[in-house]
Amino acid sequence: MIKKFAWGAVATLSMLGPITTSAQAQVGPPPPTPQQLDQLQSLFRIGVTLGLPGGITRTDSYGLDIANDGQDFMNPQRLRERYGAQYNDLFPVSGVIDFRGLPIYGFYDTNSPVFRISIPALDAEGETYQNRFNGVTRQASYDLFNEYLDEVDSAEAERLVRLLLKSLARYSPVDPLAGNPNSVQSGLVRSSLDLSSGDSAIEQAANGGTNTAGDPWIVGANYSGGSSNGGRYDFMRVDGRIARSFRLTEGGRALLKFDLPISYSEVNGARAATAQFGVGVEFPLIAQRWSLEPRIGYGITGSDQLGSLGHMISTTIASRYVLNGLGRGRLIIGNMVGYTSTMSTGFTGYNVNPGLKNWAFRNGVAYDLPLKFRGFGRNTSVRASYALTNYTGDKLYYDTFHEMTLSLGIRGREESARNARDLIRLNFNLIKASDYTSWSAGLGFRF
C-alpha cells in the first residue's frame, strides 16, 4: 500500500499520469462545480451528475469529513448503491471531489468503460493532470485506478504528489503544513517574534537587570477554536509549550533560547498533530534598549484524515526595541524577516516535499503596563499586542493575517530579584484573515 499516503487521500487522488495543457473533450453532462456544492459544510465535498435517456440529468451531492475513502467517489459499485436501477454502465457519469478546496474531476463517457481523472487547478498555470484507465467494464477500469494508487512508485508519481500538496497550500485554508495561520509554517513565524509576553532579554534588561542566572522554565497551554471559508471549516486546537533560556556568559545579557511547542488539532473532526523546535540567541544592543535575535526553527505535521504530511525549516532574525516612560508602562516595537522552506520526506521511502519556499515579514507593537491592584498578594500587569504577518514567494491561501493579544500577569513578590517577571500569565488571542477567524485562551507558568 503506497502511498495512499500524503497522508490518507492526497496521494489517493494524485497518482495521475502525464501532464497535458488541454483537457480531453468530455461526452455527457458536466460535473457539478465546487460553487454548486457550497451548501455542504464538509471537509471534502462530492458531487455526481448522472446522464439519463432523453437528455435528463440527475445531480446528487454529499460530504465526507475524513479523506480515506475519497477515491470512491466514482466507484461503480457505489454508484449502483446510490442510483439503483437508474444507473447503467452505458450512461455518462461525471463527478467532482472538492478536496479541501482543490477540485478533482472524474468521468465515464457515454457507452464507454474508460475511467478518466482530471485535476485542472494545479500549481503550474495552464496545466491539467489527466489519466485514463481502460478496463473491459467500468468496474474493471476503476479497479485498475485503485490498483494504480496502491502500486505506483516512480519519480513521476512523486513529482505529481509534490505539486498537488503545493497546490493544497494555495487552495485550502486548512492545510496543516502551510498557507494559513493554523499551519506549521505560521507557527514557526509567530514563535520567532512573539510579542504577547515579556520573555525577551531586552525587556528584562529594561526592567533593571532582572535577567539573572538560573532563568526559569516556561510551561504553557492554549485552547483555540475558529472557522474559515464562510463557516465550511470549523477547527479546534490544543497547544502545549515548553521553553527555557540560558545566559551565554556569566554576567552577560545575551540569551540562548530553546522552545518546544506541540499541538493537536481537528478540522471538521479530522485529526492532525504537529511538533516544532526552535533555538535562537538574543543579543541586547544600544544601551540595553534594542536587541537582535537570529533563530532557526523546525516543524513537522501529519494527518491521514486530512491527507497531509510534511516538515519545514525556518530561519529568521527578529528585532525588538523598548521605549520606557510612556505613561506608567512601556512600548515594545518588534520587526522580523524570515525564510521558510519545506523539506524532503525521503526518510519515509517516498519524497512528497511540495517545495514551498516563502519569505515572511512580521511587524508589531506591544504595550506593557504594571497595574495598581494586587492579586494573591503580588503585583499584577496587563499587556496588549498587535502583529501583522505577510508572506511572499510561493502562493498561499492566506498571505496576510492580523494577530491581537491581551494578557494579564501576576508578578513576583516585591522582594524578589525577578519582581518584574510574570509568574503566571493568562492570555487571550484573536487572529483574523480575509475569511478566517480564530480565538484562543491560555495559561502560562514560570518556575
Side-chain angles (χ1 to χ4, degrees):
M1 269 273 313
I2 151 183
K3 308 175 179 151
K4 257 181 186 176
F5 172 42
W7 232 255
V10 172
T12 301
L13 290 172
S14 61
M15 312 295 178
L16 305 181
I19 302 173
T20 62
T21 55
S22 61
Q24 181 173 345
Q26 71 179 47
V27 179
T33 66
Q35 291 74 25
Q36 289 176 302
L37 307 180
D38 279 346
Q39 77 279 6
L40 299 172
Q41 299 300 303
S42 304
L43 196 59
F44 309 99
R45 305 190 298 201
I46 295 172
V48 177
T49 299
L50 174 65
L52 300 172
I56 300 171
T57 61
R58 173 180 170 179
T59 299
D60 288 321
S61 61
Y62 59 99
L64 297 174
D65 280 332
I66 295 178
N68 299 356
D69 295 326
Q71 81 275 12
D72 278 346
F73 79 115
M74 291 290 282
N75 186 342
Q77 179 181 342
R78 299 286 185 267
L79 295 175
R80 292 187 188 95
E81 293 172 357
R82 179 168 294 273
Y83 291 107
Q86 280 192 309
Y87 175 78
N88 186 301
D89 273 357
L90 300 179
F91 295 164
V93 185
S94 61
V96 60
I97 174 170
D98 181 344
F99 195 92
R100 291 197 276 120
L102 179 68
I104 300 171
Y105 297 95
F107 305 94
Y108 294 108
D109 296 330
T110 304
N111 300 321
S112 173
V114 175
F115 178 49
R116 296 191 289 116
I117 279 280
S118 175
I119 308 179
L122 286 164
D123 187 71
E125 186 176 353
E127 291 184 334
T128 298
Y129 289 136
Q130 297 187 94
N131 203 9
R132 297 165 57 89
F133 298 89
N134 192 354
V136 177
T137 64
R138 288 185 176 179
Q139 189 64 57
S141 296
Y142 173 80
D143 291 342
L144 288 174
F145 165 66
N146 209 29
E147 292 171 9
Y148 185 62
L149 300 179
D150 284 341
E151 301 300 331
V152 169
D153 192 1
S154 67
E156 176 65 11
E158 289 186 9
R159 187 173 73 88
L160 295 180
V161 175
R162 288 196 296 269
L163 286 177
L164 184 67
L165 291 174
K166 189 174 184 179
S167 295
L168 283 168
R170 175 182 175 182
Y171 289 100
S172 174
V174 290
D175 188 70
L177 184 61
N180 63 86
N182 216 29
S183 64
V184 166
Q185 180 185 47
S186 291
L188 292 170
V189 170
R190 292 170 61 200
S191 296
S192 297
L193 181 64
D194 183 2
L195 295 173
S196 65
S197 64
D199 297 331
S200 68
I202 190 65
E203 289 193 64
Q204 299 304 326
N207 279 337
T210 57
N211 181 31
T212 56
D215 291 281
W217 289 90
I218 299 172
V219 177
N222 284 279
Y223 178 87
S224 61
S227 64
S228 63
N229 199 243
R232 173 182 174 184
Y233 307 104
D234 292 312
F235 50 83
M236 61 78 64
R237 176 170 171 147
V238 179
D239 292 277
R241 178 194 178 209
I242 300 175
R244 184 74 159 90
S245 60
F246 303 88
R247 287 193 303 168
L248 286 181
T249 60
E250 183 66 27
R253 297 294 185 183
L255 282 186
L256 175 65
K257 300 179 176 181
F258 295 93
D259 197 18
L260 178 62
I262 57 173
S263 70
Y264 167 85
S265 62
E266 293 184 2
V267 180
N268 290 19
R271 302 182 300 269
T274 67
Q276 296 175 208
F277 176 74
V279 57
V281 180
E282 186 180 2
F283 300 96
L285 303 167
I286 306 181
Q288 308 298 326
R289 298 293 182 189
W290 177 50
S291 72
L292 292 177
E293 181 184 343
R295 176 185 171 101
I296 186 168
Y298 169 81
I300 186 170
T301 185
S303 172
D304 59 343
Q305 295 184 344
L306 280 169
S308 181
L309 174 81
H311 59 156
M312 176 176 288
I313 194 169
S314 68
T315 56
T316 61
I317 183 166
S319 165
R320 297 176 180 87
Y321 188 81
V322 176
L323 290 172
N324 285 320
L326 297 179
R328 297 180 56 248
R330 64 171 179 241
L331 185 72
I332 300 92
I333 302 172
N335 307 98
M336 188 221 73
V337 60
Y339 185 75
T340 66
S341 176
T342 55
M343 303 171 67
S344 169
T345 60
F347 63 90
T348 67
Y350 194 66
N351 182 16
V352 293
N353 176 15
L356 284 167
K357 301 180 186 300
N358 292 94
W359 286 96
F361 304 89
R362 184 169 166 87
N363 304 282
V365 294
Y367 185 71
D368 194 277
L369 176 68
L371 298 176
K372 294 182 179 181
F373 69 86
R374 295 168 63 82
F376 304 102
R378 299 172 182 264
N379 293 330
T380 59
S381 69
V382 63
R383 185 183 180 97
S385 66
Y386 166 79
L388 174 65
T389 302
N390 290 285
Y391 294 98
T392 63
D394 287 318
K395 293 183 178 180
L396 304 173
Y397 194 93
Y398 299 109
D399 54 18
T400 298
F401 66 87
H402 306 264
E403 181 176 3
M404 292 147 281
T405 301
L406 179 67
S407 63
L408 302 173
I410 298 176
R411 300 192 165 181
R413 297 187 185 277
E414 291 186 13
E415 64 272 15
S416 169
R418 300 190 182 112
N419 66 331
R421 285 185 172 161
D422 296 306
L423 302 181
I424 303 173
R425 182 165 286 275
L426 179 63
N427 298 293
F428 302 93
N429 177 273
L430 177 68
I431 297 178
K432 286 287 295 180
S434 58
D435 58 357
Y436 176 105
T437 301
S438 77
W439 57 266
S440 69
L443 196 61
F445 301 89
R446 284 188 176 92
F447 59 91

